[in-house]
Amino acid sequence: MGLPDSEMPRRQYLRGLVATGGAAALAACLEVPGSGTDVPQGDPGSRPARQHAWNDALPTDEDGNVRRPNHHALLALDLTTEPDRAASERVESAFRSLERAYAHDVAGLLFTVSYTPAYFETVGAESPVPDPEPLTSVEGEIALDGFHALVHLASDDPAVVLEAEQALLGGASEPNGVQMAADLAAVFERADPRRTGFVGSGLPVEQAEERGVDLPDELPDEAPFLMGFRSGLRESQAPEERVTIQQGPYAGGTTTHVESLSLNLRQWFEQNDQQLRIAEILSPHHAEDDVGETGEELGTSTGVFPDIADRTAADASTRGIVGHAQKTARAREDGTPLLLRRDINTLDGDRPGVHFLAHQREIADYVRARQAMAGEDLDGVGQRLNNGLLQYIFVRRRGNFVTPPRDLRALPGTDA
Amino acid sequence: MSEHDTPRRGRTGTACSRRAFVATGAAGLAAVAGCLGDSGGDSGGDGGDESRDGGLPDGVPYVEDPPEAVYVPSHRDPFLMQSPVTAGDYALLPHFSYPHRFWLVDGGETEEVLPTLDDSLHLMVAFWDRQTGELLPVDAGATLSVSRDGDPVETVAPWPMLSQTMGFHFGDNIPLPDDGTYTVDVTVNPIEAVRKTGGFAGRFEETRTATFEFEWTDDRRRTLVEDIEYLEEDQRGKPGALEPMHHGEMATGNGDTNGGGMDMSDMPSPSLRPAAAYPGTDLGVHESGDVAFVVRYLEDSRLATGDGGYLFVSPRTPYNRLPLPEMSLSLSLPDGVVQLGQTLDDELGMHYGGTVALSAGTQFDLVVDGPPQVARHRGYETAFLDMPPMTVEVDQ
């Protein structure tokens, strides 16, 4: 299995392979000199008790914002067997093997394992999270995640994401040179959809060019997100403690919501100018000089809390336009955001989109933040028109999950 | 007339000036239009409008330096009509034209949107309630999903728009990759952002989708360009407006039929009722920013939500009485400010209203906090922006 005969730089070639997935992509990936080598191995004993405790392992940018890993896969799984003690031990053994194979680091592998209400129904236990449902009036008939478990795999090295996925499903027995003591294949099978994504300066344009997806020329080459602007700045992210479940059987865990969206970047970039984009993504009070081409002037804060957020309703009725950040900042508790965003850009299906993955203490926190973003309470803006980003985003799918603490991640809620 | 200087910001990076000029195929309509019409060239008049530098606006002559009011454009556009389709209680009329220049409104400013060379057509959908025949001129967050042979081409939330001939509709310029047969799923979402009263209370709460197909061919492009009707030069740019189309005269093109069991004569007039048709105490028809505001006071109204009567305000365009949605209005009364809410009523139609106690001799200001945020077709882009308050007095 060799590389295609092309002039494509190795780095670009590798990045596209996460979206392709599978053993062939992995094989191609690993034949490239320098890929999948020098990946640090890890120690399961040093992993934190909270699966979602990634921040200590993530680098920060020059402003001090936590930077997300570059490459991601969201692996959906369905149970194929009645869970019992043996199954639970096998699942835990597979995850521990991955932890030995890769360091808890962006050069290694960060991952979480989460479970849906459908899983709990199957195993006959009460679900700690509600069934997913449409949250706003403009969603219509969306898909709802009904598979059983979700593994979120993330690394700066695309080969690690692919190899870890293959290893879990039984397609790679020695990831990063470490023998898998077990895999998930006897307990789970792959379910739909397989989702992939990426975050990082320059990646949206690079990925789109590589896959032949046509994006507007106005998207800056160095933009970290498909809509052009940085997001997830420190001041608008919930601390990990704020999203951690405090009591009950899953104390120390978190909940996860994944909202998959498609984007209309043609309207966003070709019909708006930069000032209007800034008004809609931040607020009508932000000037271009305060923001910069891709949000580089913002530092660690969107600057909307508290004053500009407080002006949201007044801006709707007197200016006829409100920004996304100012609307969503209304859903804070004592000034602290409710959501820890780990959303990723995607070109799944060769269409631009976002897999908006967020952790929060309870799903109700997500609902509160999402309804603040919908702004259905605001007079003077439309259901989409001049209402933040709603003109340009289309919800396709939602899923609710509990992400248990690490010691309960293998088939929770069973007698095992 | 207002001295307000309308800021006009051309969109960044006009594709016309940068991209290869393709004169054939689906992308080439602007080119065809450019060949047949005077493409405008130099902006002359007001200068400073960089977006015209490419010499290819949407390919037809336009009024340079238009007045800051509703004006007669240089031409009347042809439309290819589809048969109406139904989606639950909604009736939808799809129609299309060549890619258009239009203006988005954000707050008090307009932003000019030029068609790009990728754009193939301007797709529009008008919609109304099948039960009552009332227009529903609100932003229902509709989406259009265009596909060909099951492959997605484009999903877009079309802009709520206003044109002199069509009135309120949803529309956008859409790029198509090639000639062929396209399928469009139109989804209308629940109407949540406005108050619904009378027979409309509790209605329009379901998401509904209708589907239609259309052919995109060289013949159709030619029809759209060749049927452009140019007005005499001495009419262009004058205060006034093109006649709104009414049923029976709407089908200027040979639209596809979808066998939906309706025909175009079911389409209600895009115009609102004349001022005299509304009930209540006549508080006058007031003017601001070239909008006519019909103001009525309804004592003991079913629409009032507390003590007092109901103040009814129906803003409409001059000449053809088209509704103006997505506007923010308030009353500045001696004892405080009352916000008016956009309301859909099965008997009074779309209007703005609020509960207030008025008595003879009361004077108040009707204040436009935000002008109508609907996108504008030609002839409306300089009006309805700078809108000073109006003083209303209840007669002794």
Side-chain angles (χ1 to χ4, degrees):
Chain A
M1 175 86 50
L3 267 175
D5 182 18
S6 86
E7 298 295 310
M8 185 181 290
R10 182 189 74 85
R11 195 172 58 115
Q12 285 188 20
Y13 179 72
L14 289 180
R15 288 172 170 176
L17 289 169
V18 175
T20 307
L26 176 59
C29 218
L30 292 175
E31 287 208 3
V32 179
S35 168
T37 59
D38 297 329
V39 174
Q41 296 180 352
D43 169 16
S46 69
R47 291 251 168 178
R50 297 172 178 174
Q51 290 198 76
H52 59 288
W54 290 11
N55 283 359
D56 284 346
L58 294 173
T60 52
D61 66 16
E62 60 274 21
D63 292 317
N65 298 299
V66 170
R67 177 178 78 69
R68 275 162 257 183
N70 288 147
H71 298 281
H72 300 252
L74 299 175
L75 173 61
L77 298 170
D78 272 338
L79 281 171
T80 55
T81 181
E82 188 81 16
D84 57 16
R85 179 175 297 275
S88 177
E89 285 172 357
R90 181 182 288 269
V91 168
E92 179 58 20
S93 176
F95 292 133
R96 283 185 170 261
S97 294
L98 275 193
E99 290 173 340
R100 267 190 296 280
Y102 304 107
H104 187 243
D105 189 281
V106 288
L109 177 71
L110 299 174
F111 70 97
T112 60
V113 186
S114 305
Y115 295 86
T116 62
Y119 164 84
F120 288 98
E121 188 181 340
T122 300
V123 302
E126 188 183 347
S127 174
V129 292
D131 288 332
E133 57 181 357
L135 297 181
T136 62
S137 66
V138 297
E139 292 175 30
E141 304 277 311
I142 59 170
L144 301 170
D145 287 344
F147 53 81
H148 294 146
L150 181 78
V151 182
H152 178 190
L153 301 163
S155 174
D156 279 357
D157 187 338
V160 169
V161 173
L162 280 171
E163 190 178 53
E165 181 181 2
Q166 285 301 306
L168 285 176
L169 295 171
S173 58
E174 280 193 32
N176 203 27
V178 174
Q179 180 71 38
M180 291 292 282
D183 59 45
L184 302 181
V187 181
F188 286 110
E189 63 183 3
R190 183 195 288 283
D192 286 331
R194 179 178 185 271
R195 289 175 278 192
T196 65
F198 49 88
V199 177
S201 183
L203 282 177
V205 167
E206 199 178 291
Q207 291 272 310
E209 283 179 356
E210 184 184 326
R211 295 185 212 181
V213 177
D214 196 19
L215 295 183
D217 295 342
E218 290 81 355
L219 175 63
D221 286 345
E222 69 282 10
F225 286 90
L226 282 163
M227 297 195 90
F229 296 93
R230 288 203 295 184
S231 71
L233 301 179
R234 193 175 66 201
E235 192 270 343
S236 50
Q237 286 279 51
E240 285 173 350
E241 176 67 17
R242 177 62 186 78
V243 304
T244 300
I245 297 169
Q246 299 297 299
Q247 51 199 335
Y250 297 99
T254 186
T255 75
T256 300
H257 183 89
V258 183
E259 173 176 333
S260 289
L261 306 153
S262 62
L263 300 174
N264 190 305
L265 297 179
R266 187 181 60 80
Q267 275 186 340
W268 174 248
F269 281 111
E270 295 185 355
Q271 298 188 346
N272 297 324
D273 68 5
Q274 178 77 349
Q275 182 58 55
L276 183 51
R277 284 192 287 272
I278 286 171
E280 292 189 326
I281 203 165
L282 291 162
S283 86
H285 304 280
H286 283 72
E288 287 188 55
D289 287 348
D290 305 334
V291 178
E293 190 179 27
T294 61
E296 67 275 11
E297 302 298 328
L298 291 171
T300 58
S301 173
T302 58
V304 297
F305 190 84
D307 295 348
I308 291 175
D310 287 344
R311 274 187 272 183
T312 304
D315 285 346
S317 60
T318 64
R319 302 177 76 122
I321 185 167
V322 293
H324 168 78
Q326 77 176 137
K327 273 189 298 179
T328 51
R330 297 181 300 162
R332 291 191 180 189
E333 197 167 86
D334 301 327
T336 304
L338 303 176
L339 310 189
L340 175 56
R341 297 175 51 167
R342 294 203 171 127
D343 51 301
I344 53 180
N345 303 292
T346 187
L347 291 169
D348 287 347
D350 290 339
R351 316 289 297 178
V354 176
H355 297 307
F356 194 94
L357 187 154
H359 297 303
Q360 50 283 314
R361 186 168 290 166
E362 52 183 346
I363 295 297
D365 290 336
Y366 189 88
V367 173
R368 201 174 132 199
R370 189 62 178 78
Q371 288 178 345
M373 172 183 160
E376 290 178 6
D377 56 315
L378 299 172
D379 288 328
V381 295
Q383 285 181 213
R384 293 186 188 272
L385 180 68
N386 290 358
N387 192 345
L389 301 179
L390 301 181
Q391 179 75 33
Y392 317 97
I393 67 173
F394 304 90
V395 180
R396 302 300 191 194
R397 171 178 280 275
R398 293 186 179 281
N400 287 337
F401 307 86
V402 64
T403 307
R406 181 169 167 274
D407 60 3
L408 293 176
R409 69 184 164 181
L411 306 182
T414 61
D415 292 336
Chain B
M1 192 56 59
S2 150
E3 293 303 307
H4 177 76
D5 180 26
T6 306
R8 268 184 279 159
R9 298 182 268 119
R11 54 171 285 269
T12 54
T14 305
C16 294
S17 59
R18 300 200 276 121
R19 291 188 191 171
F21 189 86
V22 183
T24 58
L29 181 62
V32 175
C35 295
L36 296 177
D38 173 7
S39 66
D42 186 348
S43 67
D46 56 2
D49 189 348
E50 296 173 10
S51 58
R52 290 174 185 170
D53 288 352
L56 247 188
D58 50 8
V60 294
Y62 51 82
V63 173
E64 293 176 5
D65 201 13
E68 288 177 356
V70 175
Y71 70 92
V72 178
S74 57
H75 60 282
R76 178 192 281 268
D77 292 319
F79 297 102
L80 290 171
M81 313 299 294
Q82 304 287 122
S83 295
V85 290
T86 60
D89 279 347
Y90 300 114
L92 302 140
L93 179 65
H95 44 297
F96 52 90
S97 189
Y98 61 88
H100 271 58
R101 180 190 295 211
F102 59 87
W103 288 261
L104 300 176
V105 178
D106 58 290
E109 300 189 352
T110 57
E111 166 147 340
E112 183 176 37
V113 176
L114 294 174
T116 73
L117 287 175
D118 291 334
D119 289 330
S120 305
L121 52 78
H122 187 75
L123 182 60
M124 293 164 279
V125 177
F127 79 118
W128 63 94
D129 173 37
R130 289 171 68 200
Q131 288 189 21
T132 61
E134 276 290 329
L135 293 172
L136 301 170
V138 294
D139 173 18
T143 59
L144 303 176
S145 292
V146 183
S147 60
R148 185 170 60 161
D149 300 331
D151 294 328
V153 172
E154 172 93 358
T155 295
V156 66
W159 302 104
M161 292 187 143
L162 192 69
S163 85
Q164 293 183 357
T165 51
M166 298 304 305
F168 178 87
H169 61 275
F170 294 101
D172 198 5
N173 297 331
I174 305 284
L176 300 176
D178 211 342
D179 286 2
T181 303
Y182 290 87
T183 302
V184 183
D185 293 321
V186 187
T187 298
V188 182
N189 289 301
I191 297 174
E192 302 277 3
V194 303
R195 185 180 177 214
K196 293 172 288 188
T197 55
F200 284 170
R203 292 193 56 206
F204 315 122
E205 301 199 339
E206 305 281 326
T207 298
R208 297 290 186 190
T209 298
T211 301
F212 66 93
E213 287 193 345
F214 70 91
E215 300 283 338
W216 188 233
T217 63
D218 202 45
D219 279 352
R220 305 203 114 194
R221 285 191 289 281
R222 289 198 175 280
T223 301
L224 289 175
V225 173
E226 288 168 1
D227 288 359
I228 296 171
E229 180 189 334
Y230 294 96
L231 304 186
E232 296 299 327
E233 281 204 40
D234 62 356
Q235 296 178 45
R236 303 177 189 173
K238 293 289 189 301
L242 300 170
E243 284 272 310
M245 290 184 182
H246 292 287
H247 54 263
E249 63 164 330
M250 298 193 67
T252 62
N254 49 339
D256 295 8
T257 55
N258 288 295
M262 299 180 68
D263 71 47
M264 273 156 285
S265 63
D266 294 323
M267 161 97 185
S269 161
S271 300
L272 295 168
R273 302 157 178 74
Y278 293 99
T281 307
D282 183 359
L283 300 186
V285 178
H286 301 263
E287 188 276 336
S288 178
D290 221 8
V291 174
F293 291 81
V294 175
V295 184
R296 291 283 187 275
Y297 184 60
L298 285 68
E299 286 185 73
D300 303 322
S301 170
R302 66 183 162 84
L303 293 157
T305 54
D307 291 340
Y310 187 73
L311 191 84
F312 167 93
V313 178
S314 173
R316 68 270 311 281
T317 64
Y319 315 112
N320 43 15
R321 306 196 310 268
L322 300 174
L324 290 161
E326 306 305 327
M327 184 186 261
S328 287
L329 297 176
S330 63
L331 307 178
S332 182
L333 291 148
D335 55 351
V337 171
V338 173
Q339 294 287 334
L340 300 184
Q342 189 174 341
T343 304
L344 275 178
D345 185 78
D346 61 327
E347 290 176 16
L348 297 176
M350 195 284 283
H351 66 277
Y352 300 79
T355 300
V356 60
L358 297 179
S359 52
T362 305
Q363 198 180 69
F364 61 91
D365 278 354
L366 173 57
V367 180
V368 181
D369 297 308
Q373 299 294 300
V374 286
R376 320 287 181 78
H377 279 263
R378 238 175 248 284
Y380 282 150
E381 76 276 17
T382 53
F384 329 138
L385 290 168
D386 183 27
M387 305 183 68
M390 296 148 277
T391 299
V392 181
E393 185 166 2
V394 184
D395 285 342
Q396 297 285 352

